[in-house]
Amino acid sequence: MTAGVPTGSAARLATLTPEQRDLLRARLRDRALRTPTRLTPGQERLWRAHRTAAGRPVDVVCQAVRLTGAPVDLDLLAERVQGFVRAHESLRTTFTIEKDGSRQDGSQEDSFWEDGGAVRPVVHEDLPPRLVRTRCPGGPEQAHALARELAYEPFDLAEGPLLRVVLAEGASEEEAWLLVVVHNLVFDAWSFELLLDELARDPAAPAPATRPFGRFALEQAESTAGPRGQEAARFWAAELADAPPPLATDRPRGLTSPGTGGRVDLTLSGTVARGVAEAARGSAATAYAGWAAVAWATLAEFSGVPDVLLGTFTANRDGPDAQQTVGYLLNVLPLRLRDPGDGTWGARIRAAHTASTRGLRYASYPAELIAAERRLPGLHPLFDVAFVFDSPTEGSRTMPSSVVPARSAVVSPYDVDKGVARYGLTLSVHPAPEGASGWIEYDTGLYDRSTVERLADRFTALAAQASGTAGQVSGAAERASGAAGRASREAGQ
């Protein structure tokens, strides 16, 4: 008797031809795929952004990973990628619009409607990633160009796959490239780290237990609707009451399709980076709060308003199970920075620390559900400015000897500039022992590059000032500079 199958059924299955069995599997698979599920609020926003951005890959993860120091078995690496997809349902998911979006009981309250139908995620039993093998002897410049090209190819959300991977030989036998392009609907930055962890895992070590994304989505919906979710909704609504207006721009909002972007790089010395971290420690705060205080001072000067609202990112993976879930769990939450106290850097950093920790209790509440009068045209309804801070990583990741014969290869990931902007401005800071780097990404439909270059100069100058740990944040000259710039932008509108 076949285990788990009634005796009669086993006997009937035994009489089927191979073709009939394949047909039965297909019918069972099709029935399973039609089980109604729903998008999370974050996925709903990404779905709208996908439609609004008109083909620009604003909602696409695009990473280039350089493998150096030893030859890499790209065939085995491809098998690891395919195994990762089999283990995580989000990477086998597509999205369809069902014209009859009602549930079996006739209700439609759990449906996200678009184009006259309910948008549904569909989990496939088998949906291999798009794997490409090529050569990349031109180093980072060629690798980034290949990744960008792949990101700009339109994604068919209904057909998939939504994961594209390029495995490329480099300039020598001790260099290879792994290019990862995947739609945000099924993947986030934490998921990318899980992919790298899996590729670097020693084959003798057991694979970590995985958790389906669908379970996260269900639990998030239940939590949001419960007492804790209602408490979080009240907290965030109060936090955004009387929110400041969006920043002035060089051109009015809503005139062009959002998403086309540029970047102005930031480079700060090790002395400045260490000084900001030390100023934060001296104020009993985190390095995040130190750099958030610099961003706050910069934007307050830029706008002439001390009240600044930023979108800031949380992985949303506090539970141990969620840490092994691949999918879009990322949450973009408000960081309201209002009162700098006496104006010293210590007071501003402490205020930033207090603001950033105040909402931690409610960090899992989807920002898309926050009730606020502030609503903006573009790709995110709440935020025109985002702040990104990457904590320094310790040590380097390596590929094991199973993938790299004889010795390990060093894994060096790079974020690829796709020439897009999800927000009006995104200020990104990446501290390292040798100094801090980063960029200000901007929507070219809203800002001139010269405006953003001046903003980058002021951020750099204020970071240097903060690293001294003493003195006022903004003097009369700085306020005048901010007022003059603001008047110029308002005249342009």
Side-chain angles (χ1 to χ4, degrees):
M1 179 169 52
T2 303
V5 179
T7 307
S9 298
R12 287 193 294 273
L13 286 172
T15 64
L16 297 179
T17 65
E19 292 76 16
Q20 290 172 324
R21 290 184 183 182
D22 289 341
L23 181 60
L24 177 60
R25 290 192 190 98
R27 288 177 176 174
L28 291 174
R29 184 182 306 119
D30 183 65
R31 182 184 303 171
L33 296 182
R34 293 185 179 277
T35 302
T37 54
R38 60 161 298 165
L39 276 67
T40 66
Q43 287 179 313
E44 291 179 10
R45 174 175 55 79
L46 289 172
W47 174 277
R48 293 189 184 99
H50 177 84
R51 307 291 290 272
T52 303
R56 288 180 290 277
V58 295
D59 42 19
V60 173
V61 177
C62 186
Q63 297 282 335
V65 182
R66 191 180 191 182
L67 309 171
T68 55
V72 176
D73 187 337
L74 295 182
D75 291 330
L76 190 51
L77 205 58
E79 292 177 11
R80 284 286 185 96
V81 171
Q82 292 166 332
F84 189 76
V85 171
R86 288 191 295 269
H88 295 281
E89 67 172 34
S90 63
L91 297 177
R92 292 179 281 105
T93 299
T94 56
F95 299 85
T96 186
I97 299 177
E98 296 180 359
K99 294 304 180 181
D100 178 15
S102 61
R103 300 186 305 185
Q104 291 182 352
D105 62 6
S107 67
Q108 300 172 344
E109 58 179 305
D110 285 342
S111 299
F112 168 57
W113 287 80
E114 191 86 6
D115 294 340
V119 182
R120 304 285 196 196
V122 177
V123 179
H124 299 260
E125 181 179 317
D126 183 39
L127 184 64
R130 177 179 167 187
L131 278 171
V132 178
R133 291 287 296 271
T134 187
R135 297 192 71 255
C136 183
E141 184 175 346
Q142 183 184 9
H144 288 210
L146 287 172
R148 277 192 296 270
E149 181 181 340
L150 207 58
Y152 270 89
E153 288 186 26
F155 279 88
D156 187 333
L157 301 183
E159 293 296 326
L162 303 186
L163 170 64
R164 302 165 178 171
V165 175
V166 174
L167 300 170
E169 300 171 8
S172 71
E173 65 173 12
E174 294 193 353
E175 180 187 57
W177 286 93
L178 167 70
L179 310 180
V180 179
V181 174
V182 55
H183 203 287
N184 251 155
L185 276 164
V186 298
F187 207 74
D188 59 13
W190 189 288
S191 302
F192 177 67
E193 294 298 321
L194 291 178
L195 171 61
L196 293 186
D197 287 346
E198 173 59 22
L199 298 182
R201 179 176 59 85
D202 189 323
T210 61
R211 184 173 185 263
F213 179 79
R215 189 181 304 168
F216 162 80
L218 177 62
E219 292 174 356
Q220 184 189 59
E222 292 174 344
S223 173
T224 300
R228 180 70 178 273
Q230 295 170 12
E231 181 183 347
R234 290 190 294 271
F235 170 85
W236 288 118
E239 191 73 4
L240 266 66
D242 300 319
L247 297 180
T249 57
D250 294 314
R251 285 170 289 282
R253 300 178 188 277
L255 294 185
T256 60
S257 297
T260 301
R263 282 185 183 181
V264 173
D265 289 334
L266 299 169
T267 304
L268 299 104
S269 69
T271 301
V272 169
R274 288 189 296 273
V276 172
E278 289 166 4
R281 281 194 296 272
S283 300
T286 61
Y288 170 90
W291 287 104
V294 176
W296 177 13
T298 304
L299 294 170
E301 178 185 301
F302 182 75
S303 66
V305 178
D307 189 354
V308 170
L309 179 64
L310 303 176
T312 188
F313 299 85
T314 173
N316 199 18
R317 296 170 184 267
D318 290 339
D321 290 341
Q323 294 181 9
Q324 293 299 325
T325 300
V326 168
Y328 187 80
L329 282 68
L330 186 78
N331 202 9
V332 188
L333 288 174
L335 178 61
R336 184 85 177 268
L337 301 165
R338 283 177 265 201
D339 183 6
D342 63 9
T344 61
W345 280 110
R348 189 178 286 272
I349 290 170
R350 286 189 293 273
H353 179 73
T354 299
S356 64
T357 56
R358 185 166 54 236
L360 288 180
R361 173 178 170 81
Y362 307 110
S364 63
Y365 188 79
E368 293 78 13
L369 302 182
I370 295 175
E373 293 182 3
R374 173 182 169 123
R375 282 292 182 267
L376 307 176
L379 302 179
H380 199 293
L382 283 180
F383 308 119
D384 62 319
V385 184
F387 174 66
V388 179
F389 175 81
D390 279 351
S391 299
T393 56
E394 296 182 2
S396 58
R397 185 185 270 110
T398 59
M399 289 288 174
S401 57
S402 59
V403 178
V404 183
R407 63 191 189 279
S408 297
V410 176
V411 179
S412 304
Y414 300 87
D415 179 70
V416 176
D417 180 5
K418 305 187 299 292
V420 300
R422 183 171 291 171
Y423 303 90
L425 294 170
T426 299
L427 207 162
S428 185
V429 180
H430 310 273
E434 64 276 11
S437 62
W439 56 79
I440 300 179
E441 186 177 85
Y442 63 99
D443 189 320
T444 58
L446 299 177
Y447 293 100
D448 295 329
R449 184 174 183 86
S450 59
T451 298
V452 182
E453 287 174 341
R454 289 194 298 270
L455 189 65
D457 288 343
R458 292 305 301 147
F459 179 86
T460 302
L462 289 169
Q465 190 183 105
S467 69
T469 71
Q472 297 294 315
V473 173
S474 297
E478 291 162 351
R479 286 194 294 272
S481 172
R486 184 173 68 261
S488 173
R489 292 187 298 279
E490 290 171 349
Q493 296 189 62

